[in-house]
Amino acid sequence: MKLYPLFADLSGRAVLVVGGGVVGERKAAGLLESGAQVTVGAPEITPELRRWAESGRIRWFAGAFHDSWLDEPWLVIAATGDAALHAHIAEQAARRRIFVNVVDDAERSSFHVPAVVDRAPVTIAISSGGHAPMLARLLRERMELLIDPVVGPLASLLAQLRSRIRMRLPDLARRRRFYERLLGSPVQSLLRRGQWALAEAAAERLLDATEPLGAGSVVLLGAGPGDPGLLSLRGLRALNEADVILHDRLVSAEVLALARRDAERIEVAKQAGNHQTTQAQIHALMLQHASAGRRVVRLKGGDPFVFGRGGEELEFLRAHGIAYEVVPGITAALACAAYAGVPLTHRDHAQSVRLVTAHCQASIDTLDWPALAQERQTLAVYMGTSELPVIQQQLLAHGRAASTPFALVENGSRLEQRVITGSLDQLVEHARRYELRPPALLIIGEVAALAETLAWYGRPPEGGVGRRSPLPEALTA
Ligand code: SAH
């Protein structure tokens, strides 16, 4: 037997929940959201239900179930945990032709409550017909990830435009084409940004256009440090909608694998020292593809606004009138710290964090060393692996203690992650002894010592401040 799916309009209609425990409370809360007039019947109710009863949000029949409770409601939910009572309620409800749901008892229920993906006014309801409620719940979780939250506002916008759409596109096939174009259009990204009036205007333009608008766009997307699980949901959606992906070399293969299959992938590797020309080429590629109406994802390692030249790319896009969005990613400092067990701030050890880059002699010379050498702060140094001698020497020269702990995190959050620890005076020596390779992030500060006790990911840290005996040479050779 197959269930007939239906969505019920309960606003202003009486609904009875029998049972005042946590399940009853959850059912009452859901019913209240759809505007039902909820009565809870039970000898005892939860403190929250009691508050709702006192404030008049619900009515409370205090006491044992009585058949007369069924005189009013359109629907009944039985959630008492008492099987005999449930059987009685189901029978009495059937006699009165009232639909009843008995919690966790599909056989006694004449209606089921589905697992729901809520994108109001759009609702997606999933039922296993009572056969496998857990499966329905898992499917719901999958759908939560897949269905963009913008679907809700989009449906509201369409409701507002409904009569105009029907008037201008009386032909069903043309109307359908309009909806299809709408789904891939800038209207969605405008709604995502909360720009309702602009979204409405864009939808109006789309309504008048017989051909696709041809407006491409660029999503500047942070791919995170490597572990694909660290990509944001919005990032995942952007990858699924992309026509072209321009990605850096640092972006992991696992993240790229999440993108739409037929998206064109272009690696725009940037060689150190050769930035100028390639950056211009990246700009040109973004412009070329977006102008051709494609949805471009500019995918960068970590976060696009942390040592990622994201600002320059946006300025360029803005100057050329290309629409853009920015989706942040988890920057190397946050990811490496998390995956090495190093809290960047700590009430006992560090009150501030500085993100610093030291990629060449010229950038190193402009750093404010006296400020960087201060105690009780954490430094997260990007692109510093080739400049370790200068960093060590300058910090020591400006008064940072030789015993200050460091942690070098190589390939943070990736399966190959390695962590090398030690004290500031050992920095260069340890990097050499343990053969540090890029990409690596350097964390300096009292908190770095915690890597040795709080490590949880990958191999245990190598090195150490010397309190422990270093690894036998045989293992490091
Ligand atoms: N926008 C990026 C940083 C780009 S600069 C972000 O927000 O993370 C490149 C530097 O980032 C590398 O030289 C290295 O210091 C650091 N880095 C990036 N990914 C890393 C990783 N997985 N492990 C360690 N360091 C990383």
Side-chain angles (χ1 to χ4, degrees), residues 330-369:
I330 297 200
T331 190
L334 300 188
C336 291
Y339 280 62
V342 176
L344 289 173
T345 67
H346 191 293
R347 288 209 291 182
D348 300 332
H349 309 299
Q351 290 144 328
S352 67
V353 193
R354 279 170 181 257
L355 307 188
V356 187
T357 180
H359 65 95
C360 61
Q361 192 61 48
S363 76
I364 281 217
D365 287 343
T366 58
L367 287 174
D368 181 1
W369 289 109

Tab-separated table of all heavy atoms in Angstrom, residues 330-369:
chain	number	residue	atom	x	y	z
A	330	ILE	N	38.699	28.251	4.658
A	330	ILE	CA	39.450	28.164	5.909
A	330	ILE	C	40.919	28.384	5.598
A	330	ILE	O	41.527	27.638	4.834
A	330	ILE	CB	39.202	26.816	6.593
A	330	ILE	CG1	37.713	26.769	6.921
A	330	ILE	CG2	40.079	26.670	7.826
A	330	ILE	CD1	37.301	25.812	7.952
A	331	THR	N	41.449	29.454	6.166
A	331	THR	CA	42.818	29.835	5.845
A	331	THR	C	43.810	28.899	6.529
A	331	THR	O	43.499	28.269	7.543
A	331	THR	CB	43.045	31.303	6.243
A	331	THR	OG1	44.299	31.722	5.723
A	331	THR	CG2	43.036	31.492	7.753
A	332	ALA	N	45.016	28.819	5.939
A	332	ALA	CA	46.025	27.865	6.426
A	332	ALA	C	46.283	28.019	7.925
A	332	ALA	O	46.430	27.019	8.624
A	332	ALA	CB	47.321	28.043	5.637
A	333	ALA	N	46.305	29.243	8.419
A	333	ALA	CA	46.626	29.424	9.843
A	333	ALA	C	45.591	28.721	10.716
A	333	ALA	O	45.938	28.032	11.676
A	333	ALA	CB	46.676	30.914	10.187
A	334	LEU	N	44.321	28.874	10.382
A	334	LEU	CA	43.269	28.249	11.192
A	334	LEU	C	43.296	26.738	11.033
A	334	LEU	O	43.182	25.994	12.009
A	334	LEU	CB	41.895	28.789	10.789
A	334	LEU	CG	41.690	30.293	10.943
A	334	LEU	CD1	40.238	30.657	10.691
A	334	LEU	CD2	42.093	30.759	12.333
A	335	ALA	N	43.476	26.285	9.798
A	335	ALA	CA	43.437	24.840	9.563
A	335	ALA	C	44.655	24.156	10.167
A	335	ALA	O	44.537	23.132	10.838
A	335	ALA	CB	43.370	24.574	8.064
A	336	CYS	N	45.846	24.724	9.935
A	336	CYS	CA	47.069	24.087	10.452
A	336	CYS	C	47.033	24.071	11.973
A	336	CYS	O	47.410	23.080	12.601
A	336	CYS	CB	48.302	24.833	9.960
A	336	CYS	SG	48.573	24.641	8.191
A	337	ALA	N	46.584	25.169	12.563
A	337	ALA	CA	46.512	25.214	14.026
A	337	ALA	C	45.562	24.133	14.530
A	337	ALA	O	45.895	23.354	15.425
A	337	ALA	CB	46.036	26.600	14.479
A	338	ALA	N	44.378	24.058	13.917
A	338	ALA	CA	43.384	23.080	14.371
A	338	ALA	C	43.910	21.657	14.228
A	338	ALA	O	43.813	20.848	15.154
A	338	ALA	CB	42.091	23.246	13.573
A	339	TYR	N	44.494	21.362	13.061
A	339	TYR	CA	44.922	19.983	12.791
A	339	TYR	C	46.235	19.630	13.485
A	339	TYR	O	46.665	18.490	13.453
A	339	TYR	CB	45.028	19.742	11.278
A	339	TYR	CG	43.683	19.479	10.640
A	339	TYR	CD1	42.692	20.437	10.668
A	339	TYR	CD2	43.396	18.256	10.034
A	339	TYR	CE1	41.442	20.202	10.096
A	339	TYR	CE2	42.152	18.001	9.462
A	339	TYR	CZ	41.184	18.982	9.495
A	339	TYR	OH	39.959	18.738	8.941
A	340	ALA	N	46.891	20.638	14.103
A	340	ALA	CA	48.108	20.338	14.861
A	340	ALA	C	47.834	20.418	16.359
A	340	ALA	O	48.736	20.217	17.162
A	340	ALA	CB	49.217	21.311	14.463
A	341	GLY	N	46.592	20.734	16.733
A	341	GLY	CA	46.275	20.845	18.162
A	341	GLY	C	46.878	22.074	18.811
A	341	GLY	O	47.237	22.053	19.983
A	342	VAL	N	47.008	23.167	18.047
A	342	VAL	CA	47.579	24.408	18.589
A	342	VAL	C	46.493	25.478	18.658
A	342	VAL	O	46.132	26.059	17.633
A	342	VAL	CB	48.729	24.923	17.692
A	342	VAL	CG1	49.244	26.260	18.200
A	342	VAL	CG2	49.855	23.911	17.634
A	343	PRO	N	45.950	25.752	19.824
A	343	PRO	CA	44.979	26.853	19.904
A	343	PRO	C	45.707	28.169	19.661
A	343	PRO	O	46.717	28.437	20.318
A	343	PRO	CB	44.447	26.765	21.336
A	343	PRO	CG	45.422	25.939	22.086
A	343	PRO	CD	46.218	25.123	21.114
A	344	LEU	N	45.244	28.968	18.717
A	344	LEU	CA	45.997	30.179	18.371
A	344	LEU	C	45.960	31.218	19.493
A	344	LEU	O	46.899	31.976	19.667
A	344	LEU	CB	45.450	30.777	17.067
A	344	LEU	CG	45.785	29.949	15.822
A	344	LEU	CD1	45.069	30.494	14.602
A	344	LEU	CD2	47.289	29.907	15.574
A	345	THR	N	44.861	31.258	20.218
A	345	THR	CA	44.834	32.090	21.428
A	345	THR	C	44.574	31.167	22.603
A	345	THR	O	44.038	30.066	22.445
A	345	THR	CB	43.725	33.157	21.388
A	345	THR	OG1	42.463	32.498	21.424
A	345	THR	CG2	43.821	34.018	20.154
A	346	HIS	N	44.975	31.624	23.757
A	346	HIS	CA	44.842	30.798	24.955
A	346	HIS	C	44.895	31.756	26.136
A	346	HIS	O	45.770	32.610	26.179
A	346	HIS	CB	45.991	29.785	24.999
A	346	HIS	CG	45.821	28.718	26.036
A	346	HIS	ND1	45.847	28.986	27.381
A	346	HIS	CD2	45.620	27.379	25.920
A	346	HIS	CE1	45.663	27.854	28.052
A	346	HIS	NE2	45.514	26.862	27.179
A	347	ARG	N	43.996	31.580	27.079
A	347	ARG	CA	43.952	32.547	28.175
A	347	ARG	C	45.279	32.646	28.916
A	347	ARG	O	45.643	33.698	29.410
A	347	ARG	CB	42.829	32.183	29.140
A	347	ARG	CG	41.466	32.472	28.517
A	347	ARG	CD	40.463	32.807	29.549
A	347	ARG	NE	40.188	31.595	30.330
A	347	ARG	CZ	39.304	31.540	31.306
A	347	ARG	NH1	38.623	32.615	31.632
A	347	ARG	NH2	39.103	30.424	31.961
A	348	ASP	N	46.015	31.542	28.970
A	348	ASP	CA	47.273	31.575	29.714
A	348	ASP	C	48.463	32.005	28.869
A	348	ASP	O	49.484	32.401	29.406
A	348	ASP	CB	47.594	30.184	30.290
A	348	ASP	CG	46.507	29.709	31.228
A	348	ASP	OD1	45.840	30.588	31.835
A	348	ASP	OD2	46.308	28.483	31.344
A	349	HIS	N	48.364	31.885	27.548
A	349	HIS	CA	49.581	32.034	26.746
A	349	HIS	C	49.552	33.120	25.682
A	349	HIS	O	50.597	33.646	25.325
A	349	HIS	CB	49.907	30.716	26.028
A	349	HIS	CG	49.926	29.526	26.917
A	349	HIS	ND1	50.793	29.417	27.972
A	349	HIS	CD2	49.169	28.409	26.928
A	349	HIS	CE1	50.583	28.255	28.591
A	349	HIS	NE2	49.589	27.635	27.977
A	350	ALA	N	48.406	33.396	25.099
A	350	ALA	CA	48.419	34.337	23.971
A	350	ALA	C	47.094	35.073	23.862
A	350	ALA	O	46.040	34.449	23.847
A	350	ALA	CB	48.696	33.593	22.662
A	351	GLN	N	47.182	36.394	23.774
A	351	GLN	CA	45.956	37.188	23.678
A	351	GLN	C	45.708	37.687	22.271
A	351	GLN	O	44.680	38.299	22.003
A	351	GLN	CB	46.055	38.393	24.629
A	351	GLN	CG	45.987	37.976	26.071
A	351	GLN	CD	46.890	38.822	26.939
A	351	GLN	OE1	47.945	39.272	26.483
A	351	GLN	NE2	46.490	39.051	28.164
A	352	SER	N	46.663	37.503	21.385
A	352	SER	CA	46.414	37.947	20.013
A	352	SER	C	47.160	37.048	19.030
A	352	SER	O	48.068	36.308	19.410
A	352	SER	CB	46.841	39.413	19.827
A	352	SER	OG	48.234	39.518	19.934
A	353	VAL	N	46.723	37.123	17.786
A	353	VAL	CA	47.345	36.345	16.707
A	353	VAL	C	47.695	37.313	15.595
A	353	VAL	O	46.919	38.225	15.302
A	353	VAL	CB	46.343	35.349	16.080
A	353	VAL	CG1	47.068	34.356	15.197
A	353	VAL	CG2	45.505	34.683	17.111
A	354	ARG	N	48.821	37.099	14.979
A	354	ARG	CA	49.144	37.884	13.785
A	354	ARG	C	49.369	36.951	12.611
A	354	ARG	O	50.086	35.960	12.746
A	354	ARG	CB	50.442	38.663	13.990
A	354	ARG	CG	50.280	39.932	14.755
A	354	ARG	CD	51.669	40.433	15.091
A	354	ARG	NE	51.574	41.660	15.854
A	354	ARG	CZ	51.791	42.868	15.334
A	354	ARG	NH1	52.142	43.006	14.079
A	354	ARG	NH2	51.681	43.931	16.090
A	355	LEU	N	48.744	37.279	11.501
A	355	LEU	CA	49.007	36.538	10.271
A	355	LEU	C	50.061	37.334	9.510
A	355	LEU	O	49.848	38.506	9.204
A	355	LEU	CB	47.736	36.407	9.433
A	355	LEU	CG	46.500	35.843	10.135
A	355	LEU	CD1	45.385	35.605	9.120
A	355	LEU	CD2	46.813	34.558	10.875
A	356	VAL	N	51.183	36.702	9.241
A	356	VAL	CA	52.309	37.413	8.648
A	356	VAL	C	52.772	36.655	7.410
A	356	VAL	O	52.685	35.437	7.371
A	356	VAL	CB	53.497	37.453	9.645
A	356	VAL	CG1	54.607	38.332	9.125
A	356	VAL	CG2	53.031	37.905	11.012
A	357	THR	N	53.253	37.402	6.409
A	357	THR	CA	53.873	36.691	5.298
A	357	THR	C	55.322	37.107	5.172
A	357	THR	O	55.681	38.249	5.462
A	357	THR	CB	53.131	36.914	3.963
A	357	THR	OG1	53.820	36.169	2.959
A	357	THR	CG2	53.110	38.371	3.561
A	358	ALA	N	56.143	36.142	4.802
A	358	ALA	CA	57.578	36.398	4.701
A	358	ALA	C	58.088	35.652	3.487
A	358	ALA	O	58.856	34.718	3.598
A	358	ALA	CB	58.269	35.912	5.971
A	359	HIS	N	57.619	36.052	2.306
A	359	HIS	CA	57.946	35.209	1.153
A	359	HIS	C	59.231	35.598	0.448
A	359	HIS	O	59.744	34.851	-0.365
A	359	HIS	CB	56.782	35.129	0.169
A	359	HIS	CG	56.446	36.421	-0.479
A	359	HIS	ND1	56.935	36.773	-1.700
A	359	HIS	CD2	55.669	37.439	-0.055
A	359	HIS	CE1	56.459	37.971	-2.012
A	359	HIS	NE2	55.699	38.384	-1.041
A	360	CYS	N	59.763	36.782	0.751
A	360	CYS	CA	61.038	37.129	0.133
A	360	CYS	C	61.737	38.179	0.987
A	360	CYS	O	61.139	38.763	1.892
A	360	CYS	CB	60.831	37.660	-1.285
A	360	CYS	SG	59.823	39.148	-1.320
A	361	GLN	N	62.989	38.405	0.688
A	361	GLN	CA	63.793	39.339	1.462
A	361	GLN	C	63.110	40.706	1.542
A	361	GLN	O	63.026	41.314	2.597
A	361	GLN	CB	65.182	39.462	0.832
A	361	GLN	CG	66.193	40.174	1.703
A	361	GLN	CD	66.419	39.423	3.020
A	361	GLN	OE1	66.621	38.215	3.022
A	361	GLN	NE2	66.338	40.133	4.136
A	362	ALA	N	62.553	41.151	0.419
A	362	ALA	CA	61.968	42.491	0.387
A	362	ALA	C	60.790	42.601	1.347
A	362	ALA	O	60.675	43.582	2.084
A	362	ALA	CB	61.512	42.819	-1.033
A	363	SER	N	59.942	41.568	1.388
A	363	SER	CA	58.788	41.667	2.279
A	363	SER	C	59.237	41.520	3.730
A	363	SER	O	58.670	42.111	4.633
A	363	SER	CB	57.746	40.607	1.916
A	363	SER	OG	58.144	39.339	2.360
A	364	ILE	N	60.294	40.756	3.954
A	364	ILE	CA	60.802	40.571	5.316
A	364	ILE	C	61.345	41.873	5.877
A	364	ILE	O	61.164	42.199	7.039
A	364	ILE	CB	61.909	39.483	5.281
A	364	ILE	CG1	61.230	38.121	5.233
A	364	ILE	CG2	62.842	39.617	6.459
A	364	ILE	CD1	61.917	37.062	6.001
A	365	ASP	N	62.021	42.656	5.017
A	365	ASP	CA	62.630	43.901	5.483
A	365	ASP	C	61.596	44.908	5.966
A	365	ASP	O	61.902	45.772	6.775
A	365	ASP	CB	63.467	44.528	4.351
A	365	ASP	CG	64.748	43.731	4.122
A	365	ASP	OD1	65.100	42.937	5.027
A	365	ASP	OD2	65.371	43.885	3.053
A	366	THR	N	60.377	44.802	5.461
A	366	THR	CA	59.379	45.794	5.851
A	366	THR	C	58.572	45.353	7.070
A	366	THR	O	57.686	46.068	7.506
A	366	THR	CB	58.396	46.061	4.686
A	366	THR	OG1	57.790	44.809	4.346
A	366	THR	CG2	59.104	46.626	3.475
A	367	LEU	N	58.853	44.181	7.606
A	367	LEU	CA	58.096	43.718	8.777
A	367	LEU	C	58.493	44.507	10.030
A	367	LEU	O	59.642	44.929	10.177
A	367	LEU	CB	58.331	42.223	9.010
A	367	LEU	CG	57.660	41.279	8.017
A	367	LEU	CD1	58.082	39.845	8.264
A	367	LEU	CD2	56.142	41.407	8.098
A	368	ASP	N	57.533	44.659	10.924
A	368	ASP	CA	57.735	45.413	12.155
A	368	ASP	C	58.269	44.447	13.227
A	368	ASP	O	57.512	43.940	14.060
A	368	ASP	CB	56.384	46.023	12.564
A	368	ASP	CG	56.487	46.852	13.838
A	368	ASP	OD1	57.596	46.970	14.401
A	368	ASP	OD2	55.440	47.377	14.268
A	369	TRP	N	59.551	44.182	13.206
A	369	TRP	CA	60.126	43.143	14.074
A	369	TRP	C	59.940	43.398	15.564
A	369	TRP	O	59.628	42.452	16.311
A	369	TRP	CB	61.605	42.906	13.728
A	369	TRP	CG	61.732	42.213	12.393
A	369	TRP	CD1	62.182	42.745	11.231
A	369	TRP	CD2	61.366	40.867	12.093
A	369	TRP	NE1	62.116	41.825	10.209
A	369	TRP	CE2	61.624	40.658	10.720
A	369	TRP	CE3	60.836	39.815	12.835
A	369	TRP	CZ2	61.371	39.454	10.079
A	369	TRP	CZ3	60.593	38.608	12.214
A	369	TRP	CH2	60.859	38.435	10.844
